[in-house]
Amino acid sequence: MKLLTAATLLLASTAAFARPAPLVSIPTHDGFFDNIAAYCGKAFEGKVTVDNATGPSSFAGKKLVMHVRKCTDRELQVPFHVGDDASRTWIITKTGSGLSLKHDHRHQDGTDDVSTMYGGHTVDAGFANVQSFPADQYSKELFVSQGIPQSIGNTWQMYIYPEKFTYRLIRQGREFRVDFDLTKPITPPPAPWGYKD
């Protein structure tokens, strides 16, 4: 009898865990995610509006395009093309404890750049139009190993409003910002390096 009861309990517990755990989220994170996802499949041109770095900019004179390329319930893939350079893809993911932003950097042959998948995770509710992503531990250790410890203070911010999307990087003494015009969709570019159409 004890053996039968144990077997029944084992089957019942297996059935209870047969489905994946629900992905939990809060309204501001959902709103932000959904506001970007609403542009899925569309591409937009942007321009650098703030860049206080010294020396020549690798963005100067180049066409800047963001493409909300692939959207699922859990992940958004947004390539950021700089002229002919298709090495950058922003990946925004629902994690169950907030939102993650990662920078997927690839070489033209699709292989990973040594500086890839850095980024951060939300630490507060933010807003449906604005989220901040302070550098995570992986990124801090990557920056130190690459000899750019000043980047451990990085915070990436994204703003999404009906007429404008903004990508912004800030840290002590550094600010970089690109604004994209959401009122004028353009022809989407080819897939970024390492991805397929």
Side-chain angles (χ1 to χ4, degrees):
M1 184 66 174
K2 287 183 180 178
L3 187 56
L4 181 58
T5 303
T8 303
L9 286 174
L10 179 62
L11 285 173
S13 64
T14 303
F17 295 104
R19 64 171 181 79
L23 180 67
V24 296
S25 191
I26 62 174
T28 51
H29 292 158
D30 288 338
F32 178 81
F33 189 95
D34 293 344
N35 282 338
I36 296 175
Y39 293 95
C40 205
K42 295 181 179 177
F44 307 93
E45 192 167 352
K47 63 181 179 180
V48 175
T49 53
V50 178
D51 188 357
N52 68 352
T54 56
S57 171
S58 59
F59 294 83
K62 295 181 180 172
K63 185 176 182 179
L64 307 179
V65 175
M66 66 168 283
H67 178 200
V68 186
R69 182 173 176 272
K70 185 176 179 185
C71 309
T72 69
D73 291 343
R74 293 180 179 228
E75 182 181 278
L76 305 174
Q77 295 177 2
V78 185
F80 174 38
H81 296 256
V82 179
D84 294 328
D85 183 340
S87 64
R88 301 168 178 87
T89 300
W90 302 320
I91 301 176
I92 302 162
T93 308
K94 289 185 177 184
T95 66
S97 58
L99 297 171
S100 165
L101 168 66
K102 289 291 185 175
H103 297 73
D104 184 359
H105 284 231
R106 310 275 183 105
H107 296 290
Q108 196 162 4
D109 64 1
T111 58
D112 294 329
D113 189 275
V114 65
S115 178
T116 193
M117 298 311 285
Y118 62 85
H121 196 282
T122 55
V123 294
D124 56 25
F127 302 91
N129 301 103
V130 183
Q131 291 293 336
S132 295
F133 305 89
D136 59 25
Q137 191 61 34
Y138 166 80
S139 304
K140 292 176 181 180
E141 294 182 19
L142 177 68
F143 296 147
V144 169
S145 72
Q146 292 182 329
I148 49 171
Q150 65 274 19
S151 294
I152 66 174
N154 282 6
T155 294
W156 296 271
Q157 297 175 326
M158 289 181 166
Y159 306 75
I160 176 85
Y161 288 96
E163 297 184 353
K164 182 167 62 175
F165 175 87
T166 298
Y167 169 88
R168 182 178 185 227
L169 162 68
I170 54 171
R171 65 172 178 262
Q172 186 173 3
R174 178 78 172 106
E175 182 177 3
F176 174 79
R177 175 175 172 158
V178 185
D179 292 324
F180 298 87
D181 185 350
L182 298 181
T183 67
K184 299 176 182 175
I186 63 172
T187 302
W193 298 344
Y195 290 78
K196 293 181 180 179
D197 281 325

